[in-house]
Amino acid sequence: MTALLDRVAKAASTTAFGLSALAVAFFLFAAAIVVGVLFWQTNNLLTDQVLTTLNAEARILSSEMKVGGQGKLTETVSALSRPQGIGLYYLADTSGTKIAGNLNRIPPELEGEGHGGVFTYQPTPDGPERAHLAVAIPVDVGSHLRLIIGRDIEDQRAFADSVRLTFLLGFGVLSILGLLGGLAVSRLIVNRMDEITATSRQIMEGDLSRRIPTSGKGGELDALAGSLNEMLDRIESLMSGLREVSDNIAHDLKTPLNRLRNSAEAALRDPRGGEAYREGLERTIEKSDELIKTFNALLLIARLEAGPLQESTETFDLGRFVADVSELYAPAAEEAGFALSIETEQGLFVQGNRQLIGQAIANLIDNAIKYSRGGEPGSTITVRASLLEGRPAISVGDHGPGIDPADREKVLKRFVRLEASRTKPGTGLGLSLVAAVARLHHGEVRLEDNQPGLRVVLLLSAKCLIAAPNSEGDAEPGLAAQ
């Protein structure tokens, strides 16, 4: 099992690192696409802006040529051709002789007729500056002249280079931060998995009190740890209950079995012969019946705790049902010196297991008769069926010695009897069965002070409460609970 946990922890570590690396790679890929698109759009915007300006200027110069002729065009080009300016011009005749402009020659990239493009030029001949980048287009000014206008785009190139550099630096920083973040996340997950593995080893070694630590920050791992801790609480409770049941079985069942065996031996040794044998067999059968009742109760509790019995539910009037079951115990209560008071609310319809609820009521009344002091003033057992906090509730109260608050949770477990001497009949399964019936109906059992005495409240779930049946005998669920 330990080797399996180690393999699971290693697999979880590898998976965590792989998922972190995949997430980082996806993030970097998405970031590269976004920044690349932004860079491309920015470059296109700058290019479109330059071409729009050049085309507008080309139309103006064409108009100058049409209106004022070559002289006007030459004058305008000369005026626009400023040294070190961003506007670039070259006006020449058909023989290639320069007429005006601040370009010394037609750039080799634009030697072809009728199209422009990007070229490099030297702003100052033989100057220390590096060549600048420019873009130019031809202007139609007639067949006997050739005019090229352009713009220096060195600033745009510098801006584009800075954007590219920023992108590369940013991408590099994001890559490093992403990898570091992925390693940190995977390390965190691995540490948590190591803690879970270490705790699991300690639990497997027998320390059922250990719990998986939580960071208190919420999240999926804390939620998983919380669920596992709840499971461990349940397992520890079941194991503790199993130990208690084993101890109590050894005490409560060993004695009756020994008595059963002693009765059989005494009958065999009795000199009366057949008559003694018959009496011994009758006593053996009676004691065997008590043992069978105990085992049947254990089987019933185990069946209830195994899961809900949906097929056995039915709709009935809880108040009337509680009154009917209580009336069956009226003679026994009267014989024991108790006054049985029945207070039920009529029209309280529930959906549940009628037989099990009846068994729970019978157990509560039987316990009240068995452990209370009858024949004294105020010796009354009160059985109620009513709504409590919007939920169907059955309570049985007596005026006996009650149960100390420290022992109230303990008595709901199997084979627990507060009477250490075990002189009174019983198996210690009565309240345990009542608690199992409550869990089956998603409810709870409350042990309260009856001042004096004890009041046991069997509280069912609000989902068990339904509306009164209509004229056709059907029931509309949920109306009474709203």
Side-chain angles (χ1 to χ4, degrees):
M1 181 64 74
T2 303
L4 177 61
L5 281 174
D6 290 336
R7 289 198 296 271
V8 171
K10 291 178 181 178
S13 302
T14 304
T15 303
F17 181 77
L19 290 176
S20 300
L22 182 63
V24 171
F26 178 78
F27 172 74
L28 293 176
F29 178 72
I33 291 178
V34 171
V35 176
V37 169
L38 290 176
F39 175 76
W40 179 70
Q41 289 285 6
T42 302
N43 190 55
N44 284 344
L45 179 63
L46 294 175
T47 302
D48 291 342
Q49 184 179 6
V50 171
L51 291 176
T52 300
T53 303
L54 289 176
N55 287 325
E57 190 171 2
R59 287 193 295 270
I60 293 174
L61 293 176
S62 295
S63 300
E64 292 282 345
M65 179 64 184
K66 292 177 182 179
V67 174
Q70 182 177 343
K72 181 64 175 176
L73 178 62
T74 302
E75 181 183 352
T76 303
V77 171
S78 298
L80 293 174
S81 302
R82 294 188 298 271
Q84 306 298 322
I86 63 171
L88 304 176
Y89 303 91
Y90 183 84
L91 179 62
D93 58 19
T94 54
S95 63
T97 303
K98 178 180 174 181
I99 300 173
N102 53 3
L103 287 175
N104 295 326
R105 62 186 178 85
I106 296 177
E109 295 89 346
L110 305 179
E111 287 291 344
E113 294 285 343
H115 53 264
V118 179
F119 65 96
T120 58
Y121 77 102
Q122 195 70 32
T124 56
D126 302 326
E129 297 180 80
R130 66 176 184 135
H132 283 202
L133 188 67
V135 61
I137 61 173
V139 181
D140 183 12
V141 291
S143 59
H144 60 287
L145 294 174
R146 186 175 185 185
L147 175 62
I148 294 175
I149 64 173
R151 282 290 182 275
D152 188 314
I153 58 172
E154 188 64 25
D155 291 341
Q156 285 88 335
R157 183 173 69 172
F159 175 74
D161 289 343
S162 66
V163 170
R164 186 182 298 108
L165 179 60
T166 302
F167 163 68
L168 293 176
L169 290 176
F171 188 78
V173 171
L174 285 176
S175 301
I176 295 173
L177 292 178
L179 290 174
L180 293 176
L183 289 173
V185 171
S186 62
R187 187 68 261 171
L188 175 64
I189 295 176
V190 170
N191 289 339
R192 293 296 301 278
M193 293 300 298
D194 289 343
E195 292 176 353
I196 293 174
T197 303
T199 303
S200 301
R201 287 198 188 98
Q202 293 173 342
I203 292 172
M204 286 189 298
E205 290 171 358
D207 187 2
L208 295 179
S209 64
R210 296 287 300 174
R211 294 295 178 267
I212 297 172
T214 58
S215 64
K217 299 178 181 179
E220 290 79 4
L221 289 177
D222 275 358
L224 175 62
S227 299
L228 291 176
N229 286 337
E230 290 179 5
M231 179 186 68
L232 293 172
D233 289 339
R234 178 62 174 161
I235 292 174
E236 183 181 18
S237 175
L238 291 175
M239 294 299 295
S240 299
L242 181 60
R243 285 193 294 268
E244 291 180 7
V245 168
S246 301
D247 293 340
N248 288 319
I249 285 178
H251 189 283
D252 287 89
L253 295 185
K254 183 179 180 180
T255 300
L257 287 173
N258 285 333
R259 290 176 179 173
L260 187 66
R261 186 176 184 280
N262 292 336
S263 296
E265 289 181 349
L268 289 175
R269 290 195 302 267
D270 197 311
R272 291 180 298 165
E275 181 181 356
Y277 298 159
R278 182 178 182 84
E279 292 176 356
L281 287 175
E282 289 176 351
R283 289 194 298 272
T284 300
I285 291 173
E286 291 176 358
K287 294 175 181 178
S288 298
D289 287 341
E290 293 298 323
L291 289 173
I292 291 173
K293 288 180 182 179
T294 299
F295 283 109
N296 286 339
L298 283 172
L299 290 174
L300 178 58
I301 292 172
R303 187 163 64 98
L304 294 181
E305 292 180 344
L309 307 176
Q310 297 293 344
E311 70 279 359
S312 63
T313 60
E314 56 184 301
T315 301
F316 58 94
D317 187 333
L318 183 64
R320 182 179 300 174
F321 179 66
V322 170
D324 291 342
V325 174
S326 302
E327 287 174 358
L328 295 177
Y329 281 82
E334 184 177 354
E335 183 179 353
F338 293 100
L340 188 62
S341 173
I342 304 173
E343 303 173 6
T344 60
E345 181 178 333
Q346 299 301 314
L348 185 60
F349 286 88
V350 298
Q351 189 172 37
N353 190 303
R354 184 199 295 258
Q355 179 182 359
L356 295 177
I357 292 176
Q359 181 66 54
I361 298 169
N363 284 8
L364 294 178
I365 298 176
D366 184 63
N367 279 354
I369 295 174
K370 187 185 301 180
Y371 295 106
S372 298
R373 293 185 291 270
E376 299 180 359
S379 299
T380 303
I381 296 175
T382 304
V383 183
R384 292 189 178 91
S386 61
L387 276 179
L388 179 63
E389 301 173 359
R391 300 160 65 184
I394 305 165
S395 67
V396 176
D398 59 56
H399 293 89
I403 297 178
D404 189 86
D407 295 327
R408 289 178 183 174
E409 184 177 354
K410 183 171 65 175
V411 296
L412 297 178
K413 299 178 181 179
R414 282 174 279 188
F415 286 112
V416 173
R417 298 176 64 187
L418 299 182
E419 184 199 14
S421 62
R422 263 66 167 180
T423 56
K424 293 187 177 181
T427 61
L429 295 174
L431 287 178
S432 179
L433 189 142
V434 174
V437 172
R439 286 192 294 270
L440 176 70
H441 293 84
H442 306 286
E444 59 180 311
V445 176
R446 297 178 182 176
L447 304 183
E448 302 173 348
D449 191 354
N450 201 35
Q451 298 179 352
L454 177 71
R455 180 169 61 249
V456 183
V457 182
L458 171 58
L459 197 61
L460 306 180
S461 169
K463 296 180 180 179
C464 297
L465 187 63
I466 65 171
N470 56 29
S471 58
E472 297 180 358
D474 298 326
E476 300 177 4
L479 295 180
Q482 294 178 356

